[in-house]
């Protein structure tokens, strides 16, 4: 699978329109269409943003290997990403995160019963 097909598949699987992705990347919708159909390639910065947006590796975007073939993300990497994201939040959003964590803990506790 080439980059254009991989991008289109990711976008459609995640119910994201070309316009939504274009807005996120700060490009025009026809630019996204060009990525998907005309073999246009994003610059490195946008490639990184696309990978982050869809939570896939750049390698996956370029090679198009099956999602299940990807190496699982290590817990340490997840912890670092969560902490970095948490640090950027407002105090109100941090409080919401803590409430949500408590809710998830309750759900997990109930699931173990």
């Amino acid at each position: 699978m080439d980059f254009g097909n991989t991008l289109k598949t990711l976008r459609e699987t995640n119910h994201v329109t070309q316009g939504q992705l274009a807005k996120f990347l700060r490009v025009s919708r026809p630019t996204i269409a060009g990525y998907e159909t005309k073999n246009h390639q994003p610059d490195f910065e946008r490639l990184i943003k696309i990978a982050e947006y869809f939570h896939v590796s750049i390698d996956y975007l370029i090679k198009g290997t099956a999602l299940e073939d990807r190496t699982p993300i290590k817990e340490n990497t997840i912890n670092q990403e969560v902490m970095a994201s948490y640090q950027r939040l407002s105090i109100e959003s941090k409080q919401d995160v803590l409430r949500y964590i408590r809710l998830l803990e309750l759900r997990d506790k109930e699931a173990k019963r």
Side-chain angles (χ1 to χ4, degrees):
M1 191 179 294
D2 65 5
F3 171 76
N5 288 329
T6 301
L7 178 61
K8 184 175 182 176
T9 300
L10 275 172
R11 191 178 55 70
E12 290 175 345
T13 300
N14 289 282
H15 308 288
V16 174
T17 65
Q18 287 181 342
Q20 290 168 322
L21 183 57
K23 184 176 181 180
F24 174 77
L25 296 174
R26 294 189 172 111
V27 298
S28 67
R29 192 209 53 78
T31 298
I32 302 301
Y35 293 162
E36 292 181 2
T37 62
K38 299 185 192 251
N39 267 348
H40 294 171
Q41 302 292 316
D43 59 28
F44 289 126
E45 182 178 308
R46 286 196 180 90
L47 189 63
I48 292 167
K49 286 184 178 186
I50 292 168
E52 290 172 349
Y53 186 84
F54 290 111
H55 305 287
V56 297
S57 68
I58 293 171
D59 190 50
Y60 172 76
L61 285 175
I62 294 170
K63 292 181 179 178
T65 54
L67 286 173
E68 48 279 352
D69 292 343
R70 291 181 34 224
T71 304
I73 299 172
K74 295 182 180 176
E75 186 172 349
N76 190 34
T77 303
I78 294 171
N79 290 342
Q80 290 172 353
E81 188 175 333
V82 167
M83 286 306 298
S85 297
Y86 181 81
Q87 293 300 323
R88 292 188 297 268
L89 296 174
S90 69
I91 189 69
E92 294 85 10
S93 293
K94 287 177 181 178
Q95 291 170 339
D96 289 342
V97 168
L98 289 174
R99 283 190 211 86
Y100 188 65
I101 288 171
R102 289 184 187 116
L103 178 66
L104 293 173
E105 288 172 338
L106 285 172
R107 184 186 71 183
D108 288 351
K109 184 177 178 181
E110 288 297 315
K112 289 179 182 177
R113 287 185 182 188

